[in-house]
Amino acid sequence: MIREHPSTTRAVLGAAGIAALLLAGPELAGAQDPAREGSLDAASASDLPPIPLTEAQEARARDLEGRLKCPVCRSQSIRSSRSFMAEDMQRKVREMVAQGSSDEEIVEYFVDRFGPYILLTPPRRGFNLTAYLIPFLAVVAGGVGVLWAAHRWRRTGPPSPPPPPSPESPYHARLERELEESR
């Protein structure tokens, strides 16, 4: 009887599960539940008519879209991401701006659903404060290090003179003599 390693079994079952989801289609592969709050029906945000905004509202919406991180791309704002999730989030931001919600309310709405991870810029409080302080402290420490090194170099003074030549060896006189004879 052949014994299989448990991690091999899990890997095979995991791969089979992913393949089944991909083959099953959108019904099982993560289609959104229309009953969920804030979700769009089967249509994506790009298929829906645009939300009319004034110039000031458009500027606010663009600013807010630049401050929120795309949960799919992780390193892009929802403004620059082209994922469906980012498009849905852009639409929700524009809806809330059109309804008259404040910037703080809109940001709080997304932070409540995704956590502070959704913000591109971490808030300046708590442990996140270290992200703002470490670069400043590194520059200060580097400056102190350069000043300390310059002080040490200045304090040492000019280099010492070379040591006096060593007494001549008996071979030196013989070498000189042989060189003169060869000329």
Side-chain angles (χ1 to χ4, degrees), residues 86-164:
E87 290 176 2
D88 288 345
M89 290 173 70
Q90 285 177 358
R91 182 152 185 89
K92 186 64 178 174
V93 166
R94 291 173 179 277
E95 285 176 4
M96 292 179 79
V97 166
Q99 292 170 358
S101 299
S102 70
D103 290 358
E104 292 78 23
E105 290 172 336
I106 296 170
V107 169
E108 187 176 320
Y109 172 84
F110 286 101
V111 169
D112 287 345
R113 276 146 189 79
F114 296 98
Y117 145 83
I118 200 71
L119 300 174
L120 273 175
T121 306
R124 296 182 184 194
R125 64 184 186 285
F127 182 72
N128 292 336
L129 192 58
T130 58
Y132 293 97
L133 292 178
I134 286 178
F136 174 73
L137 294 175
V139 168
V140 169
V144 167
V146 167
L147 290 174
W148 178 73
H151 177 71
R152 283 191 62 204
W153 290 331
R154 208 174 356 165
R155 192 176 57 167
T156 58
S160 61

Side-chain angles (χ1 to χ4, degrees), residues 57-78:
Q57 289 175 328
E58 180 70 29
R60 277 187 57 219
R62 286 177 187 237
D63 177 55
L64 287 165
E65 290 167 358
R67 291 169 41 192
L68 297 172
K69 187 187 311 181
C70 175
V72 177
C73 304
R74 296 185 184 248
S75 63
Q76 293 182 346
S77 68
I78 62 172

